[in-house]
């Protein structure tokens, strides 16, 4: 069984806020890059029309996602003025405590729901270090 965790959140961008949101997200990405050496990926995507944002990150294990929530968590609230977070999907096993923290984030940044998807079977070729 793999400990790998994939996280995807989806948000609606508030009307007229895309030009404010993009630099805020660039700043968050730079913060994650500088302060979270164990995160495998942290990527921000915008729909072609700029109405939606998706944030995807990957972690080798739950500890990495917990660390992200602890370190980057204080950076999330200011972004709430630009978005309505609709959903957080987590693929992999996470603790009830972490699920509560994700639910808190979803309600703080929008009206989002949190869904946890447990691994049934798979192949994982993420390089071991």
């Amino acid at each position: 069984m793999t400990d790998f965790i994939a996280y995807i959140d989806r948000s609606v961008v508030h009307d007229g806020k895309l030009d404010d949101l993009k630099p805020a997200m660039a700043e968050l990405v730079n913060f994650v890059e500088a302060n979270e050496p164990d995160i495998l990926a942290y990527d921000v995507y915008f729909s072609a029309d700029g109405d939606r944002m998706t944030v995807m990150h990957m972690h080798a294990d739950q500890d990495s996602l917990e660390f992200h929530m602890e370190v980057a968590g204080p950076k999330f609230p200011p972004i709430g003025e630009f978005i309505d977070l609709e959903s957080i999907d987590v693929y992999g096993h996470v603790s009830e405590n972490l699920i509560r923290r994700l639910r808190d984030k979803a309600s703080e940044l929008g009206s989002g729901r949190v869904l946890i998807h447990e691994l049934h079977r798979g192949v994982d070729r993420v390089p071991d270090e």
Side-chain angles (χ1 to χ4, degrees), residues 80-91:
E81 70 182 274
F82 309 127
I83 64 166
D84 179 23
L85 194 149
E86 291 185 320
S87 66
I88 297 175
D89 286 278
V90 177
Y91 299 85

Side-chain angles (χ1 to χ4, degrees), residues 1 4 8 16 22 28 35 42 44 49 52 58 78-79 82 95 105 110-111 114 116 119 125-127:
M1 186 74 88
F4 180 76
I8 299 171
K22 282 186 172 183
L28 180 57
N35 293 285
Y42 189 86
V44 178
D49 61 10
R52 301 188 61 77
M58 293 183 282
I79 293 167
F82 309 127
S95 70
K105 176 185 179 182
S111 56
V114 175
I116 308 300
L119 177 66
R125 293 203 170 105
V126 176

Side-chain angles (χ1 to χ4, degrees), residues 21-53:
L21 178 58
K22 282 186 172 183
M25 293 308 296
E27 184 178 318
L28 180 57
V29 169
N30 290 340
F31 178 86
V32 168
E33 183 178 25
N35 293 285
E36 298 184 47
D38 293 333
I39 200 166
L40 299 174
Y42 189 86
D43 301 309
V44 178
Y45 300 87
F46 291 101
S47 61
D49 61 10
D51 287 347
R52 301 188 61 77
M53 176 179 74

